[in-house]
Amino acid sequence: MGDMSKRRICSFLLTAMVVLLIVETIACTAIGAADISFMDALKAVAFKINFLKGIISKSGIKESTVTIITGIRLPRVILAAFIGSALPVAGASYQGLFKNSLADPYIVGASSGGALGAAIAIIIKSKLGISGFSMVPFFAFAGALISTYVVYILGRIGGKLSITAMMLSGIAVNSMLSAVLSMLLLFNHEQMDQVIMWTMGSLQYAGWEQIEIVAPCIVAGIAVMYFFSRDLNLMMLGEEQAQHLGVNTKKLKKTILFAGAFITGVSVSVSGIIGFVGVFIPHIARILLGPDNRLTIPFSAIFGAMFLMIADSLARTLISPMEIPVGVLTAGVGGPFFIYLLLKNKNSIE
Amino acid sequence: MVVIEANDLKFNYGKNIILDGINFSIEKGKLVSIIGPNGSGKTTLLRNISGALRPSAGSIKLWNKDITSYKKRELAKHIAYVPQSTMVDFGFTVMDVVLMGRSPYIGRFGSETHRDMEVAKDAMEMLGVLKLKDKKITQISGGERQRVAIACALAQTPEVIMLDEPVSNLDIQYQVQVLNLLKNLCSEKGMTVLVVLHDLNLASEYSDTVILLNSGRIEHMGSPYDVMTVPVIEKAYNTKIYMMANPISGKPYLMPVRI
């Protein structure tokens, strides 16, 4: 932090990562059941971008290729990128806020609240015969927010916000909400498949219409987190220190908790519960770049996007034509990593 | 010139009364120490004055203006606070941490200027931690971390600096170094220092004014000669002591007596 040359290196690195991210996006769209080359995928994607339309000749690419790439794969890959960037940013911010590298919106109840909200929306929709998508994110967001708020209230019993109390009540709220979700499923078999997807995490219903809703929300959420990244650095010295260095910590806590629940809820509404990305991606960013949140937050977004794009490409191709829910993959990688973190931090969880 | 003033300050956690009617005023450029037995409310008093806690009743005034009317950022330019213990789990470097002391002066999207760097380096130099600047805060000793915390507070370039037992974890040479430094800041830069001290003899040696706190009230306040007397200290700490004049400075010097 502070060192001029270091800052220049970091902005160069960030630019390089963005370029890499775009290349990866194209590469991921080329992966799949139908055999499409990288160049064809690139052309098809370029064709989708309006101002390039005139420059790119469509010769040699089948119409079906363009449809597969821009209609099916590209939205899915892009959605993976957005969600992959949202969850680690929320995680990194919570970790700074709580001064604890294990904190994550999921752990404090946002995921199960979001999933329950989404399930309720799906069931209401089918019961009332409403079509359209927009209700689901709203309910997921409300669910995530309410559960986070409940956990926050439980965590500050006795006046001061205690991390341990908040994490413990997060576990309790998570399991309670999962129980309610299971009950809902029992009584609504028809929506079973769709709701189960939410609990396992999958991007198979991705489409452009989801991106239109989710992308602005996530971009706004990440911007808020970045806006407060310096305050989050001070928070890592301890709440009292942050206060004495001029941070309005009460306001900061509310803003970060709200923004975190917001982007988590919105993500959960389209992808279900994709676990652990929020914990281990920021950790990797910190190992590589140090603890400064002004770096951790943007780089977590990029690393997370890259990671989830690859994970989702694997999820849809590994045992093709069947799909592995991507949440199963990330939990498979993230679970052991989480345990490793727990063991390593055993003495500093308080 | 009065910097800080407390008027009938009261503070309680629920039904538990911690501070029970505190009144004092502190002049600019003085080194004021707060002493008193464990649980007498020293830290709570300091945190009320720093604005971290809100008084349950009464008021604290900084430059004749109620402390709650200052914006947090504004207040951080006037008052710096060094807590009793600082434990950081994330691997910031010492330089990072000291530079954080500059944050009240840096805009949300601004970054540290050359001057911020200079101020931070000066502060580290004063505390003898400049050589540690690239070390991680998680990898230095408790005493070094304590001095880094003080450097961070000095980087804030405050008018008032408050310290909660800043020398308890330090070796004797650093105790003297830190207290000499604080004393110099008072006399040369007109800084006002408010410090909770555990060691009565250090309080006696360095303070312009001593505040003796007991059960949430000020039992005595005055020069070391007024406060450090056998009956006053024996009553507050409920133990027998012997007192003599420090052979070098002539200040009161206390020793506990084995009964």
Side-chain angles (χ1 to χ4, degrees), chain B residues 55-113:
Chain B
S56 308
S59 68
I60 299 280
K61 281 181 179 160
L62 172 72
W63 297 121
N64 214 16
K65 204 173 124 189
D66 198 293
I67 199 129
T68 52
S69 67
Y70 286 85
K71 285 207 166 117
K72 291 264 178 220
R73 232 173 116 81
E74 210 43 53
L75 198 58
K77 293 178 187 172
H78 293 287
I79 296 181
Y81 185 96
V82 181
Q84 211 170 95
S85 69
T86 43
M87 196 56 221
V88 181
D89 294 332
F90 294 93
F92 288 109
T93 65
V94 167
M95 183 72 182
D96 287 343
V97 172
V98 176
L99 265 177
M100 285 187 199
R102 296 304 297 163
S103 40
Y105 301 92
I106 302 170
R108 176 137 339 254
F109 292 110
S111 45
E112 296 84 359
T113 62

Side-chain angles (χ1 to χ4, degrees), chain B residues 234-246:
Chain B
E234 283 193 341
K235 180 169 169 269
Y237 287 85
N238 195 22
T239 187
K240 263 202 103 47
I241 55 156
Y242 174 80
M243 187 171 296
M244 56 187 262
N246 182 320

Side-chain angles (χ1 to χ4, degrees), chain B residues 35-259:
Chain B
I35 60 168
N38 292 332
S40 55
K42 303 183 292 283
T43 298
T44 309
L45 176 59
L46 213 57
R47 296 180 64 201
N48 267 276
I49 303 170
S50 77
L53 294 174
R54 242 193 144 87
S56 308
S59 68
I60 299 280
K61 281 181 179 160
L62 172 72
W63 297 121
N64 214 16
K65 204 173 124 189
D66 198 293
I67 199 129
T68 52
S69 67
Y70 286 85
K71 285 207 166 117
K72 291 264 178 220
R73 232 173 116 81
E74 210 43 53
L75 198 58
K77 293 178 187 172
H78 293 287
I79 296 181
Y81 185 96
V82 181
Q84 211 170 95
S85 69
T86 43
M87 196 56 221
V88 181
D89 294 332
F90 294 93
F92 288 109
T93 65
V94 167
M95 183 72 182
D96 287 343
V97 172
V98 176
L99 265 177
M100 285 187 199
R102 296 304 297 163
S103 40
Y105 301 92
I106 302 170
R108 176 137 339 254
F109 292 110
S111 45
E112 296 84 359
T113 62
H114 189 68
R115 182 177 142 69
D116 292 323
M117 297 288 194
E118 289 305 308
V119 173
K121 276 191 184 144
D122 285 349
M124 285 190 279
E125 183 89 89
M126 278 193 257
L127 271 303
V129 290
L130 188 57
K131 58 183 184 298
L132 301 175
K133 83 180 172 56
D134 297 318
K135 281 242 170 95
K136 287 197 172 146
I137 192 83
T138 45
Q139 288 164 349
I140 59 178
S141 74
E144 288 169 335
R145 216 162 41 232
Q146 185 69 30
R147 284 184 286 143
V148 170
I150 299 171
C152 176
L154 289 186
Q156 269 174 272
T157 56
E159 294 150 355
V160 180
I161 180 166
M162 297 186 195
L163 310 97
D164 194 354
E165 298 201 14
V167 295
S168 312
N169 289 326
L170 300 184
D171 291 338
I172 190 159
Q173 78 271 29
Y174 291 125
Q175 295 194 349
V176 173
Q177 187 202 7
V178 166
L179 287 168
N180 279 342
L181 173 70
L182 293 176
K183 192 83 185 163
N184 283 341
L185 288 171
C186 290
S187 52
E188 284 162 25
K189 302 207 168 157
M191 208 181 269
T192 308
V193 176
L194 203 58
V195 55
V196 170
L197 284 176
H198 212 65
D199 187 324
L200 299 178
N201 290 320
L202 289 177
S204 171
E205 192 63 31
Y206 283 94
S207 311
D208 296 307
T209 306
V210 178
I211 296 177
L212 171 61
L213 215 58
N214 200 2
S215 314
R217 290 167 179 275
I218 292 183
E219 205 150 275
H220 265 87
M221 178 170 174
S223 77
Y225 297 102
D226 301 332
V227 179
M228 305 292 191
T229 63
V230 173
V232 169
I233 299 296
E234 283 193 341
K235 180 169 169 269
Y237 287 85
N238 195 22
T239 187
K240 263 202 103 47
I241 55 156
Y242 174 80
M243 187 171 296
M244 56 187 262
N246 182 320
I248 295 157
S249 65
K251 295 275 175 68
Y253 191 87
L254 317 147
M255 277 166 271
V257 175
R258 210 167 93 189
I259 311 165

Side-chain angles (χ1 to χ4, degrees), chain A residues 1-2 4 7 99-100 227-228 230-231 234 236-237 240-241 243-247 286 291-292 294 348, chain B residues 47 50 52 72-73 76 81 83 87 89-92 96 100-101 103-104 106 108-112 117 156:
Chain A
M1 179 161 86
M4 302 297 169
R7 201 172 303 150
K99 220 186 148 184
N100 187 317
F227 189 76
F228 288 104
R230 186 198 293 277
D231 292 351
L234 301 179
M236 282 166 147
L237 295 185
E240 205 173 320
Q241 274 294 78
Q243 257 177 34
H244 289 117
L245 289 166
V247 179
R286 261 183 234 115
D292 187 347
R294 287 176 291 177
S348 57
Chain B
R47 296 180 64 201
S50 77
K72 291 264 178 220
R73 232 173 116 81
Y81 185 96
M87 196 56 221
D89 294 332
F90 294 93
F92 288 109
D96 287 343
M100 285 187 199
S103 40
I106 302 170
R108 176 137 339 254
F109 292 110
S111 45
E112 296 84 359
M117 297 288 194
Q156 269 174 272

Side-chain angles (χ1 to χ4, degrees), chain A residues 154-167:
Chain A
L154 290 174
R156 49 168 301 168
I157 283 173
K160 224 181 160 204
L161 190 63
S162 142
I163 310 306
T164 317
M166 213 172 147
M167 288 211 171

